[in-house]
Amino acid sequence: MTSNGQTITQQREGARLYASPDVQHVSLGGPIRAVVYWLVALPIVLLAYGSPSLDIGRKLQERLPLWVGAGVVLALWSQVVNGVRVAAEWEKGVILTLGKFSEIRGSGVFYVMPVLESVQFVDTRVQVLNIPRQRAITKDNVPVVIDGALFLSVRNPGYAITKVQNYRFATSQYAQSALRDVVGSSSLDDLLSEREKIQEQVAAIVGEKVRDWGLKVEAIQLQDFDLPEDLQKVMSRQASAEREKRATITKAEGDRLAAQNLAEAAKLMQANPIALELRTLQTIDGLAASPSNTVVLFPMELGHMVQGLAKVASPPPADGKTAAPPPPGSSILKS
């Protein structure tokens, strides 16, 4: 199908869609030439035909020289009218006078001298050229298949016509060669992570070569990278292992921070007995919320007194060290 001057074609391999430019010149001067031609040709035809009352035999005898002259005049007039040309807003007409470049005309209506001059129209809009699928080997010996698109514009129509036979085909060939060279000097990691840099390198190489043809490379876009299937599986496993590694590190970091916070909280409660008692009451409240738990409250003051009596009654250890006190919250019985 055709849309905005571009023909969309579908390739079988990979079912990808590519755009190929429609470079044919659309004649806009046909209606103007027809009007100009018949403004002069119609009176000549009527004059040569003469009065309709004359019979055919008499008309042939009397009007034959006039008809011959009218035919010659109309033939010459048609050649004169064919020199009227119209270039669209985005077109320029390259004029060759007797085969030699003379000037650039357009856009709009202009006249080309029959026999002496000829014209070739050049589209000055940004054109899209496909870079076909290229097989290349990276710097680290990985085979890849790459395709892309090249955006090109004509800055000097005279050079584009007179200095290269087919500037679209030539530019496409330069782009393919430059793409293979850049891919061959880059590693696979660079291709995957530095795509913008690769595009700029290819565009710089191609732009330098086509500048003398009056062309400018607007941009080069790499569309797709095809890697071997086994390499894709390896890269998938590598990505999975990397994510698992980051998850493990994140979990370990969280455990370390939690342990530090708990240690700081324990020191704070040890220095403030009231805070420890409040924390104990919060724990009791949390246990009582579940109907399956039975909580037996034991007075904390009585527990402290019993601990003090046990400490006085128990003999000191042989090594002279003080026995460790029972853990906090030992006065809470849970069943």
Side-chain angles (χ1 to χ4, degrees), residues 89-136:
E89 179 66 27
W90 57 86
E91 290 180 329
K92 296 295 182 181
V94 179
I95 305 299
L96 302 178
T97 303
L98 296 178
K100 184 178 180 180
F101 171 74
S102 58
E103 61 177 325
I104 298 175
R105 298 175 187 171
S107 56
V109 181
F110 59 92
Y111 189 77
V112 178
M113 292 293 295
V115 181
L116 298 179
E117 295 179 343
S118 62
V119 60
Q120 294 190 33
F121 291 93
V122 178
D123 193 334
T124 59
R125 294 175 295 181
V126 175
Q127 304 175 31
V128 183
L129 303 180
N130 291 318
I131 301 178
R133 298 170 62 82
Q134 301 295 309
R135 296 185 178 274

Side-chain angles (χ1 to χ4, degrees), residues 265-283 300-301 304 328:
K267 292 180 180 179
L268 183 61
M269 291 181 181
Q270 183 179 8
N272 299 275
I274 301 299
L276 179 60
E277 294 181 1
L278 291 176
R279 180 58 183 166
T280 303
L281 294 177
Q282 290 179 354
T283 304
M300 298 183 64
E301 293 78 1
H304 293 324

Side-chain angles (χ1 to χ4, degrees), residues 200-222:
E200 292 177 356
Q201 291 179 358
V202 178
I205 294 174
V206 179
E208 182 67 24
K209 293 182 178 180
V210 304
R211 186 177 294 114
D212 295 336
W213 300 343
L215 309 176
K216 180 182 179 181
V217 177
E218 302 291 343
I220 290 181
Q221 296 294 328
L222 301 181

Side-chain angles (χ1 to χ4, degrees), residues 59-266:
K59 184 179 295 186
L60 289 175
Q61 294 177 358
E62 296 181 359
R63 297 288 180 173
L64 182 58
L66 187 58
W67 286 358
V68 174
V72 174
V73 172
L74 291 178
L76 295 176
W77 178 244
S78 66
Q79 293 298 322
V80 173
V81 172
N82 284 336
V84 178
R85 299 298 179 90
V86 178
E89 179 66 27
W90 57 86
E91 290 180 329
K92 296 295 182 181
V94 179
I95 305 299
L96 302 178
T97 303
L98 296 178
K100 184 178 180 180
F101 171 74
S102 58
E103 61 177 325
I104 298 175
R105 298 175 187 171
S107 56
V109 181
F110 59 92
Y111 189 77
V112 178
M113 292 293 295
V115 181
L116 298 179
E117 295 179 343
S118 62
V119 60
Q120 294 190 33
F121 291 93
V122 178
D123 193 334
T124 59
R125 294 175 295 181
V126 175
Q127 304 175 31
V128 183
L129 303 180
N130 291 318
I131 301 178
R133 298 170 62 82
Q134 301 295 309
R135 296 185 178 274
I137 299 179
T138 63
K139 187 177 180 180
D140 48 356
N141 298 323
V142 178
V144 295
V145 179
I146 307 177
D147 58 7
L150 185 146
F151 297 84
L152 179 73
S153 62
V154 179
R155 295 305 177 90
N156 192 324
Y159 285 177
I161 294 297
T162 59
K163 292 204 171 196
V164 62
Q165 182 181 16
N166 188 330
Y167 67 86
R168 297 180 186 85
F169 178 76
T171 304
S172 177
Q173 295 300 310
Y174 265 134
Q176 295 176 38
S177 176
L179 180 59
R180 287 193 295 267
D181 293 342
V182 173
V183 171
S185 61
S186 305
S187 63
L188 180 61
D189 293 338
D190 293 337
L191 290 179
L192 298 178
S193 60
E194 301 291 340
R195 176 176 294 194
E196 188 69 25
K197 182 179 178 181
I198 300 298
Q199 294 174 165
E200 292 177 356
Q201 291 179 358
V202 178
I205 294 174
V206 179
E208 182 67 24
K209 293 182 178 180
V210 304
R211 186 177 294 114
D212 295 336
W213 300 343
L215 309 176
K216 180 182 179 181
V217 177
E218 302 291 343
I220 290 181
Q221 296 294 328
L222 301 181
Q223 297 178 341
D224 196 8
F225 290 94
D226 287 342
L227 303 176
E229 185 176 357
D230 54 348
L231 182 59
Q232 294 181 15
K233 294 180 179 179
V234 172
M235 294 176 63
S236 177
R237 291 197 298 269
Q238 179 183 2
S240 178
E242 183 67 23
R243 290 181 179 276
E244 185 177 355
K245 170 187 173 182
R246 285 186 291 178
T248 303
I249 293 176
T250 302
K251 183 178 181 303
E253 183 69 17
D255 293 342
R256 183 180 66 84
L257 294 176
Q260 292 179 353
N261 292 334
L262 288 175
E264 293 177 358

